[in-house]
């Protein structure tokens, strides 16, 4: 410890003594070392490569040649180099970073091992390069774009995700996560967890039991299969914006039990309280978690009048009409922009209540009701709502048992509405006449860019003509966008995945 | 032209649009910075759009303007369309799987629902039937309890057992059915799983294929575009090379021609240089010569300079002399000027004296003139009188005709013929005062013949009273200086001077005033030497130009004075008539009487005057007098407070007519002698020529008569001598006769003697 102190004390005077002859080369030094971080820094080599611009400072060069300082320096490494080496070696015990000059900091960061304890590095190092190395070391595939382009954020988010995934209530120490909290609270913005493990004792006891019995027994012991309670974690993360949860167990293999996939009422209540307390949350996703009407209503009630929530995704659950009614209430009591209720059990009454909320809504941009069963009654109600709505741009009604009456109303909507850009009516029973009516409506529309009518019994001819109309609309939109963003920097396309959704 | 850039540019499909919308800062964002950014972008976009509108369609314009680029542009567009189609088809292909699974799932759900419904129905039916059976069995248990016969019981138990077994069998069958179903479901699930995994595999395959395809086509298109660009570029490079070559050749040629031209120029210039050199030589010589000349000239000029300097010195001397002379002369002239001014002053004084003398002489001349005039006139009048006498005698004595004295205006004239000047107001007042004084002095004495011919209507007393009033009330018009001077004087004098001051302070022409004053002074002078002294002071004050004071009332002439008095009275009358008519009736009568008394006096005067002036005027005056009698004002009734008002009204009334009269007054002191000759001429023609003819005739006749008479006288003389002789003889006779007794002698002899002589 004393050793390091002395070196750090030595650092400044040595630097100042060296700087007189060193300054000429420092400018080029950082630039030369920047792009090659992996290069082992042996001082003679770096000293040799120190003068990348011989012509830039000719007089000084000549003087140096005349005095010939390079010769001696080539043999003995610089004191700064030695100090940096030492700092790197002892970083875990005595992290010194902020006190150094920028170029030295850079050097230190380039040579720090990526497996340093997070307690040391988390709040000290902001350098993306270091975190990039950390990520690359831990995970073979890294999509930094999913984490806002920040490697540090990605590291912490994935680290937290990993911990949560493998947290087993009762056995794992909760301190593992709570200790991490002060380190990652400033960097984590998105929590994406696709598995929550149940307590381990129950499966162990139940293992000898019959498969057929397990269902009934699981119901009995439901209160004991609670998962990890997110409340503390969510309250601790001050910049949390997205919460993407799946109450699921992966890779259970032959240990399959129905119990494993339960989303208990206690889980639901604690989750609701957590998201209610989190005022920075913008996106909330709870998918494939067997959320039924009651649980959905509990969660939605906690989201009412949330200040910033923009996206709610409850797809692949068991939500029925009551849950849909709750979502409709949420539409008029929040600033929700995206609502996804795909693959639920919403029927006509639920769709009607949603349509009622949609008629006067000015926030919602996207509504997804894929794979529900709203039928013509719900479809007509939605179409009526769209006649007054001036905000919705994307509507997905695929696989909803819709037929001609809905198409008739929708064609009227198409002629009036100028905000809708994408409609999906695939997997319905629109029929030939419905297709013709939709084509009629489409002829008056200039804004719609996507209209999916696959497998909905529409005549090929009308589908083709609609495709033509869409094509002209798309070209016009492209022209508009080009004109509008001509001066803007060219934006790289995100790939085809947007159009898939 | 880097590949990523072109890729980005070549991928202009809808997704890009969407992504830009998502990535671009939103106006509804929570971050204020982002909002500002978004607004800026929006504004910039609008401006850009407007600009583009102004320029016409930007891309079209580009297409048109860049003909060379059109090919690559076309290629680009083609590639873009192709890729867009590819992407669309690819995504459709990929999503087709999802859609297919969706519809399968829906179908499955529908079927499942149907099956579920059937199963539930079936189960319910089953429950119902089994319940019936179970009820039957339980009822039979009751029956069995009543059975006492073991065989029957056994039988019944057997049947019960059979029934139970049947029921159980049914249940088991159902269970096995359901299990069978479950198994098939399991199988199906496995199948589905397999199918789904297949689907996923297919999906992955397709996606990979798609990615590959897209990559490939993108690469191809990129390659195409690059190729296009490259060929374009090659072509352009070739073009440019050709152009460069051409340019080079052309430059070479040009260079050669220019070189030749320049060489020629150089030659020409060299020639010119030679020429110039020759000229230079010549010029040098010329200049040298000129230099010599100039040097000489310089020498000459130095000589001339010295001469000029000397000359300048001389001239300076002269100038100094002249200056001194000039100064002397100035002094001299100043002295002269002084002396002349003194002379001038003296002359002015002299002139003034002369003027005075002139005035004096003028007065004396006037006097003399008057005297001579009077003398001459007297002489003439004498002569005329004699002539008239003669005429009368002739008429009465000789012709026996009645004689009337001829009536001519000039006969009445006494003194110079100048228009009898109006007496000044002061004179009148003076006279009046004098008069009244005299009156007071000799109270009862008969009224002296008034040479004041004017107080026609108004008695002197009245006038005096009014004037006294005026004098007392309008003392403010008099200068305080004058008042102090007036103090020691006696009352009448005091009044006089005061009135004078009031009436006419600084009349426009002082001299005339003086001229007017002087005679009056002369009149006064003898009696009141002190007053005359004051008057002298007074006049002196007038002469000083500083004493020009505003005219107080401007009353100058006697007319004015009387107007004033009249005005006073009339005003009074007016007042009285309006206010005190009844009251003053008795007073008026008394006043009338007094007025009549006074007017009686004036009547006497008038009577005297009429003797002198004629009957005409008398009648006129009497008419006026009658008028006067009608107005009964009394000066005593005029309240002192009214005086000022009256004065004011009077002055206002008087001002206008007076202004017009002012200018002619100036000429008044020049005597008008136009009528003199006429006058004198008229005097000569007192006796008209007819009369003279008469006289001539008469003269001749008389002469004749005279001759006759002389003869007669002679005869008479003879006669007388004879008579004398006779008488002598008679005397002698008488003596003789009457020597002793006269009577006796006289009568008897004379009688005897006389009768025969007669």
């Amino acid at each position: 410890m004393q050793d390091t102190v002395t070196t750090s004390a030595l650092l400044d005077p040595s630097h100042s003594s060296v700087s007189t002859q060193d300054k000429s080369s420092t400018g080029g030094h950082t630039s030369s070392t920047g792009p090659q971080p992996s290069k082992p820094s042996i001082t003679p080599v770096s000293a040799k490569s120190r003068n990348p611009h011989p012509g830039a400072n000719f007089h000084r060069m000549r003087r140096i040649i005349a005095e010939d300082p390079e010769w001696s320096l080539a043999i003995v490494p610089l004191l700064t180099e030695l100090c940096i080496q030492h700092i790197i070696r002892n970083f875990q015990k005595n992290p010194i970073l902020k006190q150094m000059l920028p170029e030295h900091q850079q050097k230190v960061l380039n040579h720090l091992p990526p497996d340093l304890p997070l307690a040391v590095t988390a709040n000290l190092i902001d350098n993306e390069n270091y975190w990039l190395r950390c990520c690359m070391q831990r995970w073979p595939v890294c999509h930094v774009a999913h984490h806002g382009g920040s490697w540090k954020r990605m590291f912490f988010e994935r680290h937290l995700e990993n911990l949560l995934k493998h947290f087993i209530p009762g056995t794992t120490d909760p301190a593992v996560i709570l200790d991490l909290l002060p380190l990652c609270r400033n960097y984590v913005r998105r929590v994406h967890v696709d598995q929550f493990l149940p307590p381990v004792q129950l499966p162990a006891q139940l293992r000898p039991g019959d498969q057929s019995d397990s269902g009934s027994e699981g119901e009995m012991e439901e209160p004991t299969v609670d998962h990890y309670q997110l409340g503390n974690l969510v309250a601790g993360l001050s910049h949390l914006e997205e919460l993407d949860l799946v109450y699921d167990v992966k890779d259970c293999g032959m240990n399959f039990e129905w119990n494993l996939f339960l989303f208990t009422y206690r889980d639901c209540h604690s989750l609701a309280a957590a998201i209610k307390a989190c005022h920075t949350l913008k996106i909330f996703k709870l998918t494939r978690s067997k959320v039924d009407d009651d649980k959905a209503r509990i969660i939605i009630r906690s989201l009412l009048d949330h200040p910033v929530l923009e996206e709610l995704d409850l797809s692949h659950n068991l939500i029925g009409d009551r849950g849909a009614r709750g979502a409709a209430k949420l539409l008029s009591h929040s600033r929700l922009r995206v609502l996804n209720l795909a693959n639920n059990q919403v029927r006509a009454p639920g769709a009607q209540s949603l349509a009622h909320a949609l008629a006067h809504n000015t926030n919602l941009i996207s509504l997804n009701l894929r794979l529900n069963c709203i039928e013509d009654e719900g479809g007509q109600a939605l179409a009526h709502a769209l006649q007054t709505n001036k905000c919705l741009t994307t509507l997905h009604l695929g696989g909803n048992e819709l037929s001609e009456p809905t198409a008739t109303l929708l064609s009227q909507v198409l002629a009036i509405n100028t905000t809708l850009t994408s409609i999906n009516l695939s997997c319905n029973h629109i029929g030939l006449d419905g297709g013709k009516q939709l084509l009629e409506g489409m002829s008056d529309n200039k804004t719609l860019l996507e209209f999916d009518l696959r497998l909905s019994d529409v005549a090929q001819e009308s589908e083709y003509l609609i495709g033509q109309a869409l094509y002209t609309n798309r070209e016009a939109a492209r022209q508009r966008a080009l004109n509008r963003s001509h001066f803007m920097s060219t934006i790289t396309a995100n790939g085809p995945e947007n159009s898939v959704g | 032209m880097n590949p990523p850039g072109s890729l980005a540019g070549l991928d202009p499909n809808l997704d890009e649009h969407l992504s830009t919308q998502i990535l671009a800062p939103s106006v509804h964002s929570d971050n204020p910075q982002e909002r500002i950014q978004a607004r800026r972008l929006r504004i910039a976009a609008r401006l850009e759009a407007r600009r583009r509108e102004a320029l016409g369609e930007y891309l079209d314009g580009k297409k048109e303007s860049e003909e060379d680029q059109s090919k690559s542009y076309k290629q680009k567009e083609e590639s873009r369309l192709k890729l867009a189609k590819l992407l669309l088809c690819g995504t459709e292909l990929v999503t087709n799987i999802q859609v297919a699974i969706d519809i399968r799932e829906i179908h499955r759900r529908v079927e499942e629902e149907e099956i579920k419904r059937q199963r539930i129905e079936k189960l319910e039916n089953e429950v119902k039937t089994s319940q019936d059976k179970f009820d039957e069995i339980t009822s039979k248990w009751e029956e069995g309890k009543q059975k006492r016969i073991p065989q029957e019981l056994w039988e019944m138990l057997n049947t019960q057992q059979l029934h139970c077994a049947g029921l159980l069998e049914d249940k088991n069958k159902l269970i096995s059915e359901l299990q069978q179903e479950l198994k098939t479901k399991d199988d199906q699930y496995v199948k589905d799983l397999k199918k789904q995994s297949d689907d996923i595999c297919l999906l992955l395959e397709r996606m990979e294929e798609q990615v590959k395809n897209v990559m490939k086509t993108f690469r191809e298109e990129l390659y195409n575009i690059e190729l296009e660009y490259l060929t374009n570029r090659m072509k352009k490079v070739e073009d440019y090379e050709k152009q460069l070559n051409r340019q080079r050749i052309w430059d070479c040629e040009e260079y050669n021609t220019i070189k030749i031209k320049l060489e020629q120029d150089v030659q020409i210039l060299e020639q010119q240089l030679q020429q110039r050199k020759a000229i230079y030589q010549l010029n040098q010589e010329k200049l040298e010569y000129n230099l010599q000349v100039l040097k000489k000239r310089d020498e000459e000029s130095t000589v001339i300079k010295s001469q000029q300097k000397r000359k300048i010195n001389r001239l300076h001397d002269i100038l100094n002399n002249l200056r001194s002379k000039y100064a002397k002369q100035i002094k001299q002239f100043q002295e002269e000027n002084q002396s002349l001014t003194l002379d001038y002053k003296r002359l002015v004084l002299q002139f003034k004296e002369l003027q005075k003398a002139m005035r004096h002489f003028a007065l004396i001349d006037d006097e003399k003139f008057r005297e001579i005039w009077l003398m001459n006139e007297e002489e003439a009048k004498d002569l005329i009188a004699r002539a008239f006498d003669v005429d009368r005698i002739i008429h009465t004595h000789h012709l026996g005709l009645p004689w009337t004295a001829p009536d001519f205006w000039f006969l009445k004239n006494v003194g110079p013929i100048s228009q009898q000047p109006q007496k000044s107001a002061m004179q009148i007042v003076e006279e009046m005062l004098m008069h009244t004084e005299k009156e007071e002095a000799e109270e009862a004495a008969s009224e002296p013949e008034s040479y004041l011919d004017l107080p026609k209507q108004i008695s002197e007393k009245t006038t005096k009273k009014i004037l006294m009033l005026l004098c007392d009330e309008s003392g403010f018009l008099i200068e305080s200086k004058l008042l102090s001077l007036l103090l020691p004087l006696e009352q009448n004098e005091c009044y006089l001077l005061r009135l004078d001051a009031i009436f006419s302070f600084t009349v426009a022409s002082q001299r005339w005033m003086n001229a007017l004053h002087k005679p009056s002074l002369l009149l006064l002078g003898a009696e009141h030497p002190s007053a005359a002294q004051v008057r002298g002071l007074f006049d002196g004050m007038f002469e000083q130009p500083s004493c020009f004071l505003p005219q107080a009332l401007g009353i100058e002439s006697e007319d004015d004075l009387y107007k004033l008095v009249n005005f006073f009275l009339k005003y009074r009358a007016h007042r009285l008539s309006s206010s005190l008519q009844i009251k003053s009736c008795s007073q008026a009568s008394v006043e009338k009487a007094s007025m009549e008394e006074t007017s009686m006096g004036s009547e006497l005067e008038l009577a005297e005057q009429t003797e002198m002036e004629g009957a005409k005027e008398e009648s006129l005056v009497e008419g006026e007098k009658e008028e006067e009698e009608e107005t009964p004002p009394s000066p005593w009734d005029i309240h002192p407070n009214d005086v000022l008002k009256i004065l004011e009204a009077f002055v206002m009334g008087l001002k206008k007519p007076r202004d017009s009269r002012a200018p002619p007054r100036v000429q008044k002191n020049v005597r008008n002698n136009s009528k003199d000759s006429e006058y004198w001429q008229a005097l000569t023609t007192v006796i008209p020529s007819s009369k003279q003819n008469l006289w001539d005739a008469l003269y001749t006749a008389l002469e004749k008569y005279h001759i006759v008479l002389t003869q007669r006288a002679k005869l008479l003389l003879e006669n007388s001598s004879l008579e004398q002789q006779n008488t002598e003889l008679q005397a002698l006779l008488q003596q003789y006769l009457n020597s002793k007794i006269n009577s006796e002698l006289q009568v008897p002899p004379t009688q005897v003697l006389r009768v025969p002589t007669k």
Side-chain angles (χ1 to χ4, degrees), chain B residues 559-577:
Chain B
D559 286 349
D560 290 342
L561 181 66
Y562 287 110
K563 268 184 201 163
L564 175 67
V565 175
N566 260 333
F567 193 82
F568 264 84
L569 294 173
K570 272 180 187 166
Y571 184 86
R572 179 71 200 156
H574 186 69
R575 290 275 313 265
L576 274 174
S577 62

Side-chain angles (χ1 to χ4, degrees), chain B residues 107-291:
Chain B
H107 285 160
R108 190 190 67 78
R109 276 186 195 181
V110 171
E111 277 171 25
E112 194 76 9
E113 218 159 288
E114 186 60 36
I115 289 165
K116 211 175 175 181
R117 199 175 50 76
Q118 282 177 6
R119 194 187 300 143
I120 286 165
E121 228 168 72
K122 203 168 145 193
L123 283 174
E124 273 170 5
N125 283 341
E126 176 59 35
V127 164
K128 222 181 256 174
T129 49
S130 54
Q131 192 68 40
D132 288 346
K133 279 182 183 168
F134 183 69
D135 286 345
E136 200 180 318
I137 289 164
T138 44
S139 62
K140 277 202 176 152
W141 285 121
E142 290 297 314
E143 265 179 51
K145 273 183 187 171
Q146 291 162 6
K147 296 263 169 83
R148 297 286 173 213
I149 302 155
Q151 208 154 10
E152 270 181 13
L153 190 66
W154 186 78
E155 226 169 80
M156 196 205 71
L157 276 174
N158 269 348
T159 52
Q160 278 294 78
Q161 203 171 4
L162 271 175
H163 278 293
C164 279
L167 190 64
L168 278 174
E169 206 173 316
D170 278 358
K171 290 280 178 192
N172 276 335
K173 210 168 126 192
L174 192 66
I175 285 164
S176 66
E177 258 175 39
L178 284 174
Q179 272 181 348
Q180 194 66 35
E181 242 173 76
L182 191 65
K183 212 160 228 172
T184 53
K185 276 276 165 198
D186 263 350
D187 287 349
Q188 210 180 337
Y189 175 69
V190 172
K191 260 188 229 163
D192 277 357
L193 268 182
K194 205 174 250 173
K195 205 171 186 182
Q196 275 184 358
S197 67
D198 283 352
D199 279 342
I200 286 166
C201 278
L202 188 69
L203 188 69
L204 282 173
E205 217 170 87
R206 277 187 183 178
M207 277 165 86
E208 263 170 34
E209 204 177 314
Q210 166 82 350
V211 168
K212 260 186 218 159
N213 257 336
V214 168
M215 287 277 272
K216 208 175 94 193
T217 41
F218 266 88
R219 278 215 186 98
E220 267 173 25
E221 294 306 321
L222 177 64
Y223 177 72
N224 281 342
I225 289 161
E226 273 184 348
L227 204 71
E228 201 58 50
Y229 270 100
L230 207 69
T231 49
N232 232 346
R233 202 189 147 97
M234 290 286 279
K235 245 186 240 165
K236 265 187 187 167
V237 165
E238 273 171 24
D239 272 10
Y240 286 139
E241 256 172 18
K242 266 182 204 164
Q243 276 185 7
L244 269 175
N245 276 334
R246 235 184 298 142
Q247 193 71 27
R248 254 179 227 146
I249 289 159
W250 189 73
D251 274 355
C252 265
E253 280 168 9
E254 210 183 37
Y255 172 74
N256 281 335
T257 53
I258 285 168
K259 201 180 174 186
I260 289 159
K261 204 175 151 197
L262 286 173
E263 271 169 1
Q264 280 174 357
D265 283 0
V266 165
Q267 280 176 2
I268 289 161
L269 286 171
E270 268 172 5
Q271 277 179 6
Q272 280 182 350
L273 188 68
Q274 292 295 332
Q275 281 176 1
R276 291 282 149 189
K277 265 181 186 170
I279 290 162
Y280 168 71
Q281 200 78 23
L282 207 74
N283 279 345
Q284 207 177 15
E285 277 166 20
K286 268 186 198 168
L287 286 170
E288 266 166 19
Y289 172 72
N290 279 349
L291 187 68

Side-chain angles (χ1 to χ4, degrees), chain A residues 343 370 449 454 471 483, chain B residues 14 52 81 92 95 102 109:
Chain A
N343 195 10
R370 186 168 76 95
L449 306 176
R454 281 176 290 182
Y471 176 75
N483 289 349
Chain B
L14 177 73
R52 200 157 297 169
L81 291 176
E92 209 175 304
T95 48
D102 275 1
R109 276 186 195 181

Side-chain angles (χ1 to χ4, degrees), chain B residues 690-738:
Chain B
S690 61
K691 210 163 250 185
Q692 277 182 1
N693 288 342
L694 179 71
W695 282 11
D696 282 348
L698 196 66
Y699 178 70
T700 51
L702 281 177
E703 217 145 74
K704 281 175 190 168
Y705 184 59
H706 183 251
I707 294 162
V708 171
L709 280 180
T710 45
Q711 278 176 347
R712 211 175 148 183
K714 253 180 223 171
L715 291 174
L716 275 174
L717 226 72
E718 277 176 37
N719 192 31
S720 64
S721 61
L722 289 175
E723 269 185 7
Q724 211 173 346
Q725 281 172 345
N726 198 20
T727 52
E728 276 169 13
L729 290 170
Q730 274 183 348
L732 283 167
L733 183 71
Q734 272 183 344
Q735 205 178 358
Y736 292 138
L737 288 170
N738 299 357

Side-chain angles (χ1 to χ4, degrees), chain A residues 146-147 157-158 160-162 164-165 188-196 240 242-246 250 285 287-288:
Chain A
H146 293 178
H147 302 272
E157 281 174 1
R158 289 190 73 168
L160 187 67
E161 183 188 329
N162 235 11
L164 286 174
K165 257 187 188 172
V188 174
R189 288 167 189 274
R190 175 172 180 262
V191 173
H192 169 77
V193 185
D194 55 1
Q195 115 170 325
F196 280 93
L240 189 71
E242 185 176 345
L243 206 52
D244 189 351
L245 306 175
V246 181
K250 280 186 170 178
K285 291 182 181 176
T287 53
R288 288 184 281 151

